[in-house]
Amino acid sequence: MDYRREDLTEAKRQIESTLHKLRETVKTLEAKEKPDRYKSQITLAKRRIAAFEIAIYLIEKELEGSVQRS
């Protein structure tokens, strides 16, 4: 699929913002007095972080490719 460069750049920006919030959430939950109570939430957040990191990587690859195609 072809996406406009601006759309990819905005998507990357939004994902990076969400990633920042997720990382802060993990820090907060892990710092709680009994982090084991939040184990499933921490696991879910970490899995989402990994997924968003992959998405950013793929967006960056697409952006690099669009520069080469131009």
Side-chain angles (χ1 to χ4, degrees):
M1 260 185 186
D2 287 329
Y3 293 97
R4 292 181 337 174
R5 183 171 190 76
E6 297 80 22
D7 294 334
L8 291 171
T9 302
E10 179 60 18
K12 182 177 178 254
R13 190 178 74 76
Q14 293 298 325
I15 292 169
E16 288 171 335
S17 173
T18 302
L19 260 175
H20 173 74
K21 292 173 189 171
L22 280 169
R23 288 181 177 125
E24 291 302 313
T25 298
V26 169
K27 284 182 195 174
T28 300
L29 292 174
E30 288 179 336
K32 296 234 179 230
E33 190 174 314
K34 295 184 180 181
D36 284 348
R37 289 184 179 176
Y38 306 96
K39 188 175 181 178
S40 63
Q41 289 170 298
I42 292 169
T43 299
L44 178 61
K46 287 181 176 181
R47 288 178 179 166
R48 287 178 174 166
I49 288 168
F52 282 133
E53 287 172 342
I54 291 169
I56 287 175
Y57 172 80
L58 294 172
I59 289 170
E60 288 172 345
K61 287 299 215 180
E62 183 65 24
L63 285 169
E64 288 172 12
S66 69
V67 169
Q68 292 172 359
R69 285 180 278 205
S70 296

